[in-house]
Each structure stands twice: as structure tokens, then as C-alpha cells.
Amino acid sequence: MDKSAASGEPGLLGSLAGVARNTLALLLSRVELAAVELTEARAHLRRLIVVSTLAVLALLCCALYASATLAFLGWDALGWKILPLIACGFLAVAVALALYARALLRQDKLGLPATMAELKADREMLL
């Protein structure tokens, strides 16, 4: 009679089945984590798109009225030179918005950080 069967130990096939079950459970939990993070990333992306679109629309309206007002008020004193000054102002606003957008992207909310950290830990554990 086999000692492992008598002592209640699962044996080689039982151990392999247990490893396969644990591996499948680990894989399933990682897929679930990725799905949750993708949902969060999609929500952040949607919010970023809506806020950016509204900001662009508001900025366009503001820029239209402000530039017309500045051109009207400054034309007597500066003449045509008022137009490049207004253009430089718009350039400064565009650069500031680009830097802000880059800062939002550097927060790495769209990169699935928890899922990537767990997958890296799993890979290190297996190797």
C-alpha cells in the first residue's frame, strides 16, 4: 500500500491539479483587476475629454470677445501692432493648456498602475 495515499497527502496528480487551480484563480483575479482598472481609466478619459471640450469652447468664446475688444480699444494707439500682441497672448494660453494636459497625463491614471504592478509581481514570483 502507498504511504502517501494512507497518510492523506494528495500525491503528484493532486498537487498538479491544485497548482493548476491556483494558477487559474490567480489569472482570473488579474483579469478582474484589469477589467476594474479599465473601467476606471475609461471614466477618467471620458471626464478628461468632456472637461477639455468644455474648456476649449469657453476659451474660444472668451478669446473671440477679448480679442475683438482689445483690437477695438488698442487700434487708435497701436494700429496694426495690436494684432501680433493678441496673437502672442493666445500663444501663451495655448502653451499653458498644453503643459496642463501633459501634467494630467503624467498622473498615470490611464496606465492601469495596479494591474501592471500585480502582473510584474507575479512575473517576478514565477521566475
Side-chain angles (χ1 to χ4, degrees):
M1 184 172 205
D2 188 38
K3 286 184 178 181
S4 64
S7 66
E9 293 178 12
L12 179 63
L13 291 178
S15 295
L16 287 177
V19 168
R21 273 193 309 269
N22 289 339
T23 302
L24 187 60
L26 179 66
L27 181 64
L28 182 62
S29 71
R30 295 306 181 244
V31 168
E32 289 173 351
L33 177 62
V36 168
E37 277 200 312
L38 280 173
T39 303
E40 290 175 2
R42 186 176 59 203
H44 288 297
L45 183 61
R46 186 179 302 137
R47 188 176 310 132
L48 180 66
I49 289 171
V50 168
V51 168
S52 298
T53 302
L54 292 174
V56 166
L57 287 174
L59 185 63
L60 287 175
C61 290
C62 179
L64 176 70
Y65 286 108
S67 62
T69 303
L70 285 176
F72 178 74
L73 294 175
W75 195 265
D76 290 336
L78 296 173
W80 64 271
K81 295 176 208 145
I82 190 70
L83 298 177
L85 289 174
I86 293 172
C88 288
F90 284 129
L91 179 64
V93 169
V95 168
L97 287 172
L99 292 175
Y100 178 69
R102 188 169 66 172
L104 284 177
L105 292 175
R106 284 191 178 176
Q107 290 178 356
D108 203 26
K109 291 183 178 179
L110 302 176
L112 307 176
T115 299
M116 293 304 173
E118 289 296 326
L119 290 175
K120 184 176 181 183
D122 293 345
R123 183 184 66 197
E124 290 174 1
M125 181 182 66
L126 292 173
L127 297 178

Coordinates of all heavy atoms in Angstrom, one line a residue, residues 31-120:
V31 N -7.4 39.2 -14.3 CA -8.3 39.7 -15.4 C -9.4 40.6 -14.8 O -9.7 41.6 -15.3 CB -8.9 38.5 -16.1 CG1 -10.1 38.9 -17.0 CG2 -7.8 37.8 -17.0
E32 N -9.9 40.2 -13.6 CA -10.9 41.0 -12.9 C -10.3 42.4 -12.6 O -11.0 43.4 -12.7 CB -11.5 40.3 -11.7 CG -12.3 39.1 -12.1 CD -12.7 38.3 -10.8 OE1 -12.2 38.6 -9.7 OE2 -13.6 37.4 -11.0
L33 N -9.1 42.4 -12.0 CA -8.4 43.6 -11.7 C -8.2 44.5 -12.9 O -8.5 45.7 -12.9 CB -7.1 43.4 -11.0 CG -6.3 44.6 -10.6 CD1 -7.0 45.5 -9.6 CD2 -4.9 44.2 -10.0
A34 N -7.8 43.9 -14.0 CA -7.6 44.7 -15.2 C -9.0 45.3 -15.7 O -9.0 46.4 -16.2 CB -7.0 43.8 -16.3
A35 N -10.0 44.5 -15.6 CA -11.4 45.0 -16.0 C -11.8 46.2 -15.2 O -12.3 47.2 -15.7 CB -12.4 43.9 -16.0
V36 N -11.6 46.1 -13.9 CA -12.0 47.2 -13.0 C -11.1 48.4 -13.3 O -11.7 49.5 -13.4 CB -11.8 46.8 -11.5 CG1 -11.8 48.0 -10.6 CG2 -12.8 45.7 -11.1
E37 N -9.8 48.2 -13.5 CA -9.0 49.4 -13.8 C -9.3 50.0 -15.2 O -9.2 51.2 -15.4 CB -7.5 49.0 -13.7 CG -7.0 49.1 -12.3 CD -5.5 49.2 -12.3 OE1 -4.8 48.4 -13.0 OE2 -5.0 50.0 -11.5
L38 N -9.6 49.1 -16.2 CA -10.0 49.7 -17.5 C -11.3 50.5 -17.4 O -11.4 51.5 -18.0 CB -10.2 48.5 -18.5 CG -9.0 48.0 -19.1 CD1 -9.3 46.7 -19.9 CD2 -8.3 49.0 -19.9
T39 N -12.2 50.1 -16.5 CA -13.4 50.9 -16.3 C -13.1 52.2 -15.7 O -13.6 53.2 -16.1 CB -14.4 50.1 -15.4 OG1 -14.7 48.8 -16.0 CG2 -15.7 50.8 -15.1
E40 N -12.2 52.2 -14.7 CA -11.8 53.5 -14.1 C -11.0 54.3 -15.1 O -11.3 55.6 -15.1 CB -10.9 53.2 -12.9 CG -11.6 52.6 -11.7 CD -10.7 52.2 -10.6 OE1 -9.5 52.4 -10.7 OE2 -11.2 51.7 -9.5
A41 N -10.2 53.7 -15.9 CA -9.4 54.5 -16.8 C -10.4 55.1 -17.9 O -10.2 56.3 -18.3 CB -8.4 53.6 -17.5
R42 N -11.4 54.3 -18.3 CA -12.3 54.9 -19.2 C -13.1 56.0 -18.7 O -13.4 57.0 -19.3 CB -13.3 53.7 -19.7 CG -14.2 54.1 -20.8 CD -15.1 53.0 -21.2 NE -15.9 52.5 -20.1 CZ -16.4 51.3 -20.1 NH1 -16.2 50.4 -21.0 NH2 -17.1 50.9 -19.0
A43 N -13.5 55.9 -17.4 CA -14.2 57.0 -16.7 C -13.3 58.3 -16.6 O -13.8 59.4 -16.9 CB -14.6 56.6 -15.3
H44 N -12.0 58.1 -16.3 CA -11.1 59.2 -16.3 C -10.9 59.9 -17.6 O -10.9 61.1 -17.8 CB -9.7 58.8 -15.7 CG -9.7 58.5 -14.2 ND1 -10.0 59.5 -13.3 CD2 -9.5 57.4 -13.5 CE1 -10.0 59.0 -12.1 NE2 -9.6 57.7 -12.2
L45 N -10.8 59.0 -18.6 CA -10.6 59.5 -20.0 C -11.8 60.3 -20.5 O -11.7 61.3 -21.1 CB -10.3 58.3 -21.0 CG -10.0 58.7 -22.4 CD1 -8.8 59.6 -22.5 CD2 -9.8 57.5 -23.2
R46 N -13.0 59.7 -20.2 CA -14.3 60.4 -20.6 C -14.4 61.8 -19.9 O -14.7 62.8 -20.5 CB -15.5 59.5 -20.2 CG -16.8 60.1 -20.7 CD -17.9 59.2 -20.4 NE -17.8 57.9 -20.9 CZ -18.0 56.7 -20.3 NH1 -18.5 56.8 -19.0 NH2 -17.8 55.6 -20.9
R47 N -14.0 61.8 -18.6 CA -14.1 63.1 -17.8 C -13.1 64.1 -18.4 O -13.4 65.2 -18.6 CB -13.8 62.8 -16.4 CG -14.0 64.0 -15.5 CD -13.7 63.7 -14.0 NE -14.5 62.5 -13.6 CZ -14.0 61.6 -12.9 NH1 -12.7 61.6 -12.5 NH2 -14.7 60.5 -12.5
L48 N -11.9 63.6 -18.8 CA -10.9 64.4 -19.4 C -11.3 65.0 -20.7 O -11.1 66.2 -21.0 CB -9.5 63.7 -19.5 CG -8.4 64.4 -20.1 CD1 -7.9 65.5 -19.2 CD2 -7.2 63.5 -20.4
I49 N -12.0 64.2 -21.5 CA -12.4 64.7 -22.8 C -13.5 65.7 -22.7 O -13.5 66.7 -23.3 CB -12.9 63.5 -23.7 CG1 -11.7 62.6 -24.1 CG2 -13.7 63.9 -24.9 CD1 -12.1 61.3 -24.8
V50 N -14.5 65.4 -21.7 CA -15.6 66.4 -21.5 C -15.1 67.7 -21.0 O -15.4 68.8 -21.5 CB -16.7 65.8 -20.6 CG1 -17.6 66.9 -20.1 CG2 -17.4 64.7 -21.3
V51 N -14.2 67.7 -20.0 CA -13.6 68.9 -19.5 C -12.8 69.6 -20.5 O -12.9 70.9 -20.6 CB -12.8 68.6 -18.2 CG1 -12.0 69.8 -17.7 CG2 -13.7 68.1 -17.1
S52 N -12.0 68.9 -21.3 CA -11.2 69.6 -22.3 C -12.1 70.2 -23.4 O -11.8 71.4 -23.8 CB -10.3 68.6 -22.9 OG -9.4 68.0 -22.0
T53 N -13.1 69.5 -23.8 CA -14.0 70.1 -24.8 C -14.7 71.4 -24.3 O -14.8 72.4 -25.0 CB -15.1 69.1 -25.2 OG1 -14.4 67.9 -25.7 CG2 -16.0 69.6 -26.3
L54 N -15.2 71.3 -23.1 CA -15.9 72.5 -22.5 C -14.9 73.6 -22.3 O -15.2 74.8 -22.5 CB -16.5 72.1 -21.2 CG -17.7 71.2 -21.2 CD1 -18.2 70.8 -19.9 CD2 -18.9 71.9 -22.1
A55 N -13.7 73.3 -21.9 CA -12.6 74.3 -21.7 C -12.3 75.0 -23.1 O -12.1 76.2 -23.1 CB -11.4 73.8 -21.1
V56 N -12.2 74.2 -24.1 CA -11.9 74.7 -25.4 C -13.0 75.6 -25.9 O -12.8 76.7 -26.4 CB -11.6 73.6 -26.4 CG1 -11.6 74.1 -27.8 CG2 -10.3 73.0 -26.1
L57 N -14.3 75.2 -25.7 CA -15.4 76.1 -26.1 C -15.4 77.4 -25.4 O -15.6 78.4 -26.0 CB -16.7 75.3 -26.0 CG -17.0 74.2 -27.0 CD1 -18.2 73.4 -26.6 CD2 -17.1 74.7 -28.4
A58 N -15.2 77.3 -24.1 CA -15.2 78.5 -23.3 C -14.1 79.4 -23.6 O -14.2 80.7 -23.7 CB -15.2 78.2 -21.8
L59 N -12.9 78.8 -23.9 CA -11.8 79.6 -24.3 C -12.0 80.3 -25.6 O -11.6 81.4 -25.8 CB -10.5 78.7 -24.3 CG -9.2 79.4 -24.6 CD1 -8.9 80.4 -23.5 CD2 -8.1 78.4 -24.7
L60 N -12.6 79.6 -26.6 CA -12.9 80.2 -27.9 C -13.8 81.4 -27.8 O -13.6 82.4 -28.4 CB -13.4 79.1 -28.8 CG -12.4 78.1 -29.3 CD1 -13.1 77.0 -30.2 CD2 -11.3 78.7 -30.1
C61 N -14.9 81.2 -27.0 CA -15.8 82.3 -26.8 C -15.1 83.5 -26.1 O -15.2 84.7 -26.5 CB -17.0 81.9 -26.0 SG -18.1 80.8 -26.9
C62 N -14.3 83.2 -25.1 CA -13.6 84.3 -24.4 C -12.6 84.9 -25.3 O -12.5 86.2 -25.3 CB -12.9 83.7 -23.2 SG -12.0 84.9 -22.2
A63 N -11.9 84.1 -26.0 CA -10.9 84.7 -26.9 C -11.5 85.5 -28.0 O -10.9 86.6 -28.4 CB -10.1 83.5 -27.6
L64 N -12.6 85.2 -28.5 CA -13.3 85.9 -29.6 C -13.7 87.3 -29.1 O -13.3 88.3 -29.7 CB -14.5 85.2 -30.1 CG -15.4 85.9 -31.1 CD1 -14.6 86.0 -32.4 CD2 -16.7 85.2 -31.3
Y65 N -14.3 87.4 -27.9 CA -14.8 88.6 -27.4 C -13.6 89.5 -26.9 O -13.6 90.7 -27.1 CB -15.8 88.4 -26.3 CG -17.1 88.0 -26.8 CD1 -17.6 86.8 -26.7 CD2 -17.9 89.0 -27.5 CE1 -18.8 86.4 -27.2 CE2 -19.1 88.6 -28.1 CZ -19.6 87.3 -27.9 OH -20.8 87.0 -28.4
A66 N -12.6 88.8 -26.2 CA -11.5 89.6 -25.7 C -10.6 90.2 -26.9 O -10.2 91.3 -26.8 CB -10.6 88.7 -24.8
S67 N -10.4 89.4 -27.9 CA -9.6 89.9 -29.0 C -10.3 91.0 -29.7 O -9.7 92.0 -30.1 CB -9.2 88.8 -29.9 OG -10.4 88.2 -30.5
A68 N -11.6 90.9 -29.9 CA -12.4 92.0 -30.6 C -12.3 93.3 -29.7 O -12.1 94.4 -30.3 CB -13.8 91.5 -30.8
T69 N -12.5 93.1 -28.4 CA -12.4 94.2 -27.5 C -11.0 94.9 -27.5 O -10.9 96.1 -27.6 CB -12.8 93.8 -26.1 OG1 -14.1 93.3 -26.1 CG2 -12.8 95.0 -25.1
L70 N -10.0 94.1 -27.4 CA -8.6 94.6 -27.4 C -8.3 95.3 -28.8 O -7.6 96.3 -28.8 CB -7.6 93.5 -27.1 CG -7.5 93.0 -25.7 CD1 -6.6 91.8 -25.6 CD2 -7.1 94.1 -24.8
A71 N -8.7 94.7 -29.8 CA -8.4 95.3 -31.1 C -9.1 96.6 -31.3 O -8.5 97.6 -31.8 CB -8.8 94.3 -32.3
F72 N -10.3 96.7 -30.8 CA -11.1 97.9 -30.9 C -10.5 99.0 -30.0 O -10.3 100.2 -30.5 CB -12.6 97.7 -30.5 CG -13.4 98.9 -30.5 CD1 -13.8 99.4 -31.7 CD2 -13.8 99.5 -29.3 CE1 -14.6 100.6 -31.8 CE2 -14.6 100.6 -29.4 CZ -15.0 101.2 -30.6
L73 N -10.1 98.6 -28.8 CA -9.6 99.6 -27.9 C -8.1 100.0 -28.2 O -7.7 101.2 -28.0 CB -9.6 99.1 -26.4 CG -11.0 98.9 -25.9 CD1 -10.9 98.3 -24.5 CD2 -11.8 100.2 -25.8
G74 N -7.4 99.1 -28.7 CA -5.9 99.4 -29.0 C -5.6 99.9 -30.4 O -4.5 100.3 -30.6
W75 N -6.6 99.9 -31.3 CA -6.3 100.2 -32.6 C -5.9 101.7 -32.8 O -4.9 102.0 -33.5 CB -7.5 100.0 -33.5 CG -7.1 100.0 -35.0 CD1 -7.2 101.0 -35.8 CD2 -6.6 98.9 -35.7 NE1 -6.8 100.7 -37.1 CE2 -6.4 99.4 -37.0 CE3 -6.2 97.6 -35.4 CZ2 -5.8 98.6 -38.0 CZ3 -5.7 96.8 -36.4 CH2 -5.5 97.3 -37.7
D76 N -6.5 102.6 -32.0 CA -6.1 104.0 -32.1 C -4.7 104.3 -31.6 O -4.0 105.1 -32.2 CB -7.1 104.9 -31.3 CG -8.5 104.9 -31.9 OD1 -8.5 104.7 -33.1 OD2 -9.4 105.2 -31.2
A77 N -4.3 103.6 -30.6 CA -2.9 103.8 -30.0 C -1.9 103.0 -30.7 O -0.8 103.5 -31.0 CB -2.9 103.4 -28.5
L78 N -2.1 101.8 -31.1 CA -1.1 100.9 -31.7 C -1.3 100.6 -33.2 O -0.3 100.1 -33.8 CB -1.0 99.6 -30.9 CG -0.6 99.7 -29.4 CD1 -0.8 98.3 -28.7 CD2 0.8 100.2 -29.3
G79 N -2.4 100.7 -33.7 CA -2.6 100.4 -35.1 C -2.6 98.9 -35.3 O -3.1 98.1 -34.5
W80 N -1.9 98.5 -36.3 CA -1.9 97.1 -36.7 C -1.0 96.2 -35.7 O -1.1 95.0 -35.7 CB -1.3 96.9 -38.1 CG 0.2 97.4 -38.2 CD1 0.6 98.6 -38.5 CD2 1.3 96.6 -37.9 NE1 1.9 98.7 -38.5 CE2 2.4 97.4 -38.1 CE3 1.6 95.3 -37.6 CZ2 3.7 97.0 -37.9 CZ3 2.9 94.8 -37.4 CH2 3.9 95.7 -37.6
K81 N -0.2 96.9 -34.9 CA 0.7 96.2 -33.9 C -0.1 95.5 -32.8 O 0.4 94.6 -32.1 CB 1.7 97.2 -33.3 CG 2.6 97.7 -34.3 CD 3.5 98.7 -33.6 CE 4.0 99.7 -34.7 NZ 4.1 101.0 -34.2
I82 N -1.4 95.9 -32.6 CA -2.2 95.2 -31.6 C -2.5 93.8 -32.0 O -2.6 92.9 -31.1 CB -3.5 96.0 -31.4 CG1 -4.3 95.5 -30.2 CG2 -4.4 95.9 -32.6 CD1 -3.7 95.8 -28.9
L83 N -2.6 93.5 -33.3 CA -2.9 92.1 -33.7 C -1.8 91.1 -33.3 O -2.1 90.0 -32.8 CB -3.2 92.1 -35.2 CG -4.4 92.9 -35.6 CD1 -4.6 92.9 -37.1 CD2 -5.7 92.4 -34.9
P84 N -0.5 91.4 -33.6 CA 0.5 90.4 -33.1 C 0.6 90.3 -31.6 O 0.9 89.2 -31.0 CB 1.8 91.0 -33.6 CG 1.5 91.9 -34.7 CD 0.1 92.4 -34.4
L85 N 0.3 91.4 -30.9 CA 0.2 91.3 -29.4 C -0.9 90.3 -28.9 O -0.7 89.5 -28.0 CB 0.0 92.7 -28.8 CG 1.2 93.6 -28.9 CD1 0.8 95.0 -28.4 CD2 2.4 93.1 -28.1
I86 N -2.0 90.4 -29.6 CA -3.1 89.5 -29.2 C -2.7 88.0 -29.6 O -3.0 87.1 -28.8 CB -4.4 89.9 -30.0 CG1 -4.9 91.2 -29.4 CG2 -5.5 88.8 -29.8 CD1 -6.1 91.8 -30.2
A87 N -2.1 87.9 -30.7 CA -1.6 86.5 -31.1 C -0.6 85.9 -30.1 O -0.7 84.7 -29.8 CB -1.0 86.6 -32.5
C88 N 0.3 86.8 -29.6 CA 1.2 86.3 -28.5 C 0.5 85.9 -27.3 O 0.9 84.9 -26.6 CB 2.2 87.4 -28.2 SG 3.4 87.6 -29.6
G89 N -0.6 86.6 -26.9 CA -1.4 86.2 -25.8 C -2.0 84.9 -25.9 O -2.0 84.1 -25.0
F90 N -2.6 84.7 -27.1 CA -3.2 83.4 -27.4 C -2.1 82.2 -27.4 O -2.4 81.1 -27.0 CB -3.9 83.4 -28.7 CG -5.2 84.1 -28.7 CD1 -5.5 85.1 -29.6 CD2 -6.2 83.8 -27.7 CE1 -6.7 85.8 -29.6 CE2 -7.4 84.5 -27.7 CZ -7.6 85.5 -28.6
L91 N -0.9 82.5 -27.9 CA 0.1 81.5 -27.8 C 0.5 81.2 -26.4 O 0.7 80.0 -26.1 CB 1.3 82.1 -28.6 CG 2.6 81.1 -28.6 CD1 2.2 79.9 -29.4 CD2 3.7 81.8 -29.2
A92 N 0.5 82.1 -25.5 CA 0.8 81.9 -24.1 C -0.3 81.0 -23.5 O 0.0 80.0 -22.7 CB 1.0 83.2 -23.3
V93 N -1.5 81.3 -23.8 CA -2.6 80.4 -23.3 C -2.5 79.0 -23.8 O -2.7 78.0 -23.1 CB -4.0 81.1 -23.6 CG1 -5.1 80.1 -23.3 CG2 -4.1 82.4 -22.9
A94 N -2.2 78.9 -25.1 CA -2.1 77.5 -25.7 C -1.0 76.7 -25.0 O -1.1 75.5 -24.7 CB -1.9 77.6 -27.2
V95 N 0.2 77.4 -24.8 CA 1.3 76.7 -24.1 C 0.9 76.3 -22.7 O 1.2 75.1 -22.3 CB 2.5 77.6 -24.1 CG1 3.6 77.0 -23.2 CG2 3.1 77.7 -25.6
A96 N 0.2 77.1 -22.0 CA -0.2 76.8 -20.6 C -1.2 75.6 -20.6 O -1.0 74.7 -19.8 CB -0.8 78.0 -20.0
L97 N -2.1 75.6 -21.6 CA -3.0 74.5 -21.6 C -2.3 73.2 -22.0 O -2.7 72.1 -21.5 CB -4.1 74.8 -22.6 CG -5.2 75.8 -22.2 CD1 -6.1 76.2 -23.3 CD2 -6.0 75.3 -21.0
A98 N -1.4 73.2 -22.9 CA -0.6 72.0 -23.3 C 0.2 71.5 -22.1 O 0.2 70.3 -21.9 CB 0.3 72.3 -24.5
L99 N 0.8 72.4 -21.3 CA 1.5 71.9 -20.1 C 0.6 71.3 -19.1 O 0.9 70.3 -18.4 CB 2.3 73.1 -19.5 CG 3.4 73.6 -20.3 CD1 4.0 74.9 -19.7 CD2 4.5 72.5 -20.5
Y100 N -0.6 71.9 -18.9 CA -1.6 71.3 -18.0 C -2.1 69.9 -18.5 O -2.2 69.0 -17.7 CB -2.8 72.3 -17.9 CG -3.9 71.7 -17.0 CD1 -3.7 71.6 -15.6 CD2 -5.1 71.3 -17.5 CE1 -4.7 71.1 -14.8 CE2 -6.1 70.8 -16.7 CZ -5.9 70.7 -15.3 OH -6.9 70.2 -14.5
A101 N -2.3 69.8 -19.8 CA -2.7 68.5 -20.3 C -1.6 67.4 -20.1 O -1.9 66.3 -19.7 CB -3.1 68.6 -21.8
R102 N -0.4 67.8 -20.3 CA 0.7 66.9 -20.1 C 0.8 66.5 -18.6 O 1.1 65.3 -18.3 CB 2.0 67.5 -20.6 CG 3.2 66.6 -20.6 CD 4.4 67.1 -21.3 NE 4.9 68.2 -20.6 CZ 6.1 68.8 -20.9 NH1 6.8 68.3 -21.9 NH2 6.5 69.8 -20.2
A103 N 0.6 67.5 -17.7 CA 0.6 67.1 -16.3 C -0.5 66.2 -15.9 O -0.3 65.3 -15.1 CB 0.5 68.4 -15.5
L104 N -1.7 66.3 -16.5 CA -2.8 65.4 -16.3 C -2.4 64.0 -16.8 O -2.7 63.0 -16.1 CB -4.0 65.8 -17.0 CG -4.8 66.9 -16.4 CD1 -6.0 67.3 -17.3 CD2 -5.3 66.6 -15.0
L105 N -1.7 63.9 -17.9 CA -1.4 62.6 -18.4 C -0.2 61.9 -17.6 O -0.1 60.7 -17.5 CB -0.9 62.7 -19.9 CG -2.1 63.0 -20.9 CD1 -1.5 63.3 -22.3 CD2 -3.1 61.9 -20.9
R106 N 0.6 62.8 -17.0 CA 1.7 62.2 -16.2 C 1.2 61.6 -14.9 O 2.0 61.0 -14.2 CB 2.8 63.3 -15.9 CG 3.6 63.5 -17.1 CD 4.8 64.4 -16.8 NE 5.6 64.6 -18.0 CZ 6.7 65.3 -18.0 NH1 7.0 66.0 -16.9 NH2 7.4 65.4 -19.1
Q107 N 0.0 61.9 -14.5 CA -0.5 61.3 -13.3 C -0.7 59.8 -13.4 O -1.0 59.1 -12.5 CB -1.9 62.0 -12.9 CG -1.7 63.4 -12.4 CD -3.0 64.0 -12.1 OE1 -4.1 63.5 -12.3 NE2 -3.0 65.3 -11.6
D108 N -0.7 59.4 -14.6 CA -0.7 57.9 -15.0 C -2.0 57.2 -14.5 O -2.0 56.1 -14.1 CB 0.5 57.2 -14.4 CG 0.8 56.0 -15.1 OD1 0.5 55.9 -16.3 OD2 1.4 55.1 -14.5
K109 N -3.1 57.9 -14.6 CA -4.4 57.3 -14.3 C -4.9 56.4 -15.4 O -5.8 55.6 -15.2 CB -5.4 58.3 -13.9 CG -5.1 59.0 -12.6 CD -6.2 60.0 -12.3 CE -5.9 60.7 -11.0 NZ -7.0 61.6 -10.6
L110 N -4.3 56.6 -16.6 CA -4.8 55.8 -17.7 C -3.9 54.6 -18.0 O -4.2 53.8 -18.9 CB -4.8 56.7 -19.0 CG -5.6 58.0 -18.9 CD1 -5.5 58.8 -20.2 CD2 -7.1 57.6 -18.7
G111 N -2.9 54.4 -17.2 CA -1.9 53.4 -17.5 C -2.1 52.1 -16.7 O -1.2 51.2 -16.7
L112 N -3.2 51.9 -16.0 CA -3.5 50.7 -15.2 C -2.4 50.4 -14.3 O -1.8 49.3 -14.3 CB -3.8 49.5 -16.1 CG -4.8 49.7 -17.2 CD1 -4.9 48.5 -18.1 CD2 -6.2 50.0 -16.6
P113 N -2.0 51.3 -13.3 CA -0.9 51.1 -12.5 C -1.0 49.8 -11.6 O 0.0 49.1 -11.4 CB -0.7 52.4 -11.7 CG -2.1 53.0 -11.7 CD -2.7 52.5 -13.0
A114 N -2.1 49.6 -11.0 CA -2.3 48.5 -10.0 C -2.2 47.2 -10.8 O -1.5 46.2 -10.3 CB -3.6 48.6 -9.3
T115 N -2.8 47.1 -11.9 CA -2.7 45.8 -12.7 C -1.3 45.5 -13.2 O -0.8 44.4 -13.1 CB -3.6 45.9 -14.0 OG1 -5.0 46.1 -13.5 CG2 -3.5 44.6 -14.8
M116 N -0.6 46.6 -13.6 CA 0.8 46.4 -14.1 C 1.7 46.0 -12.9 O 2.6 45.1 -13.1 CB 1.3 47.7 -14.8 CG 0.6 48.0 -16.1 SD 0.7 46.6 -17.2 CE -0.3 47.1 -18.5
A117 N 1.5 46.6 -11.8 CA 2.3 46.2 -10.6 C 2.0 44.8 -10.2 O 3.0 44.0 -9.9 CB 2.0 47.2 -9.4
E118 N 0.8 44.3 -10.2 CA 0.5 43.0 -9.8 C 1.0 42.0 -10.9 O 1.6 40.9 -10.5 CB -1.0 42.8 -9.7 CG -1.7 43.4 -8.5 CD -1.2 42.9 -7.2 OE1 -0.9 41.7 -7.1 OE2 -1.0 43.6 -6.3
L119 N 0.9 42.3 -12.1 CA 1.5 41.4 -13.2 C 3.0 41.3 -13.1 O 3.6 40.3 -13.2 CB 1.1 41.9 -14.6 CG -0.4 41.7 -14.9 CD1 -0.7 42.3 -16.3 CD2 -0.8 40.2 -14.9
K120 N 3.7 42.5 -12.7 CA 5.1 42.4 -12.6 C 5.5 41.6 -11.3 O 6.4 40.8 -11.4 CB 5.6 43.9 -12.4 CG 7.1 44.0 -12.3 CD 7.6 45.4 -12.2 CE 9.1 45.5 -12.2 NZ 9.5 46.9 -12.0

